């Protein structure tokens, strides 16, 4: 558990991402970058037959270049929903969105990527699945915050942060109000914010400043029960 909330940036797998991501890595304190298909939305359930590869496939050449850029700054690079792509590009791990049989997909992904890979997962709204994933060794669980008044997402983050040692990620759309509520709800160990490739990185700088202002974690979390 870190002493402050850390920033996870979501970067679309597109050639236009390189410039803005480079600027963000140079100017913002980032702990992890999640590479996703361009139209990816956090928490969108995958189909029964998603397997280890997202139907919205990633461009391997672009993905590898982004992984190399991220890792050159000694920052962890994760790939969304494509364990084979994570392995092929040398990424540090894989993020898994909700799907039927998520626990089995986690197990298969762990076997493919190995014990040292970072593998996190976004369970459904049931608390049992989140606990099962943590017990299986998932490096984090994630919940989506659909706006500043999302009682369900904020409640799950607060529940997890209060009881469990395993990290929890709050996936937001980058809106400052949502980020503020997410930080105050848990706080989460990581706050996820999208990189806007057609805009400046001022919104990321604003989120980073918000973390500096109110992102100090409270006293140590309780042991899991």
């Amino acid at each position: 558990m870190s002493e402050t909330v850390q920033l996870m940036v979501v970067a679309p797998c597109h050639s236009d991402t390189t410039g803005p991501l480079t600027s963000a890595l140079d100017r913002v304190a980032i702990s992890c970058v999640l590479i996703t298909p361009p139209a990816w939305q956090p928490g969108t359930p995958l189909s029964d037959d998603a397997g280890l590869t997202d139907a919205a496939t990633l461009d391997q050449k672009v993905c590898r270049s982004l992984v190399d850029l991220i890792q050159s700054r000694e920052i962890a690079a994760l790939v969304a929903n494509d364990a084979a792509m994570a392995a092929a590009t040398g990424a540090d791990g894989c993020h898994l969105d909700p799907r039927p049989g998520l626990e089995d997909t986690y197990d298969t992904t762990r076997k493919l990527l190995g014990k040292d890979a970072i593998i996190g997962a976004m369970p459904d709204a049931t608390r049992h699945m989140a606990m099962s994933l943590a017990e299986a060794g998932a490096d984090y669980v994630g919940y989506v915050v659909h706006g500043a008044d999302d009682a369900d997402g904020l409640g799950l983050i607060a529940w997890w942060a209060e009881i469990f040692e395993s990290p929890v990620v709050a996936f937001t759309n980058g809106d400052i109000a949502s980020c503020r509520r997410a930080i105050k709800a848990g706080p989460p160990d990581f706050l996820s914010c999208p990189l806007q490739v057609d805009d400046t990185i001022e919104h990321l700088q604003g989120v980073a400043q918000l973390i500096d202002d109110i992102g100090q974690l409270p006293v140590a979390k309780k042991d899991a029960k």
Side-chain angles (χ1 to χ4, degrees):
M1 183 180 69
S2 63
E3 295 181 353
T4 61
V5 178
Q6 300 183 65
L7 180 60
M8 172 191 284
V9 169
V10 174
C13 184
H14 192 282
S15 58
D16 291 343
T17 298
T18 302
L21 181 58
T22 300
S23 296
L25 294 171
D26 285 343
R27 298 163 60 188
V28 181
I30 297 170
S31 295
C32 178
V33 178
L34 173 60
I35 302 170
T36 70
W40 180 83
Q41 294 293 326
T44 301
L46 299 184
S47 63
D48 292 2
D49 58 353
L52 298 184
T53 302
D54 190 347
T57 55
L58 300 165
D59 182 287
Q60 182 169 329
K61 182 178 179 180
V62 174
C63 188
R64 181 181 291 276
S65 69
L66 294 177
V67 169
D68 290 345
L69 170 61
I70 296 159
Q71 292 178 338
S72 71
R73 312 304 177 88
E74 299 184 348
I75 294 172
L78 306 182
V79 173
N81 299 315
D82 197 330
M85 184 67 73
T89 58
D92 297 283
C94 188
H95 167 87
L96 302 174
D97 277 317
R99 72 195 73 195
L102 179 57
E103 296 99 324
D104 292 338
T105 303
Y106 168 81
D107 290 339
T108 306
T109 302
R110 177 63 70 189
K111 290 176 182 176
L112 175 65
L113 298 182
K115 63 181 180 63
D116 294 328
I118 301 169
I119 303 176
M122 189 176 294
D124 58 23
T126 66
R127 299 185 178 191
H128 174 75
M129 180 180 287
M131 291 186 288
S132 295
L133 288 165
E135 290 172 359
D139 293 287
Y140 67 78
V141 298
Y143 293 107
V144 181
V145 179
H146 295 288
D149 297 321
D150 180 7
D152 291 337
L154 294 169
L156 287 167
I157 290 168
W159 161 70
W160 190 270
E162 180 181 2
I163 299 175
F164 298 98
E165 290 292 334
S166 301
V168 60
V169 180
F171 284 86
T172 76
N173 62 2
D175 174 76
I176 290 295
S178 298
C179 291
R180 181 179 290 108
R181 287 293 302 275
I183 292 173
K184 290 184 175 181
D189 297 272
F190 292 84
L191 184 76
S192 171
C193 183
L195 177 73
Q196 305 290 346
V197 298
D198 58 349
D199 198 355
T200 67
I201 63 165
E202 290 181 359
H203 74 292
L204 284 182
Q205 292 176 310
V207 172
Q209 184 61 54
L210 182 69
I211 289 174
D212 286 343
D213 291 343
I214 64 172
Q216 298 296 319
L217 290 176
V219 295
K221 298 175 183 178
K222 301 176 183 178
D223 293 334
K225 297 180 179 180

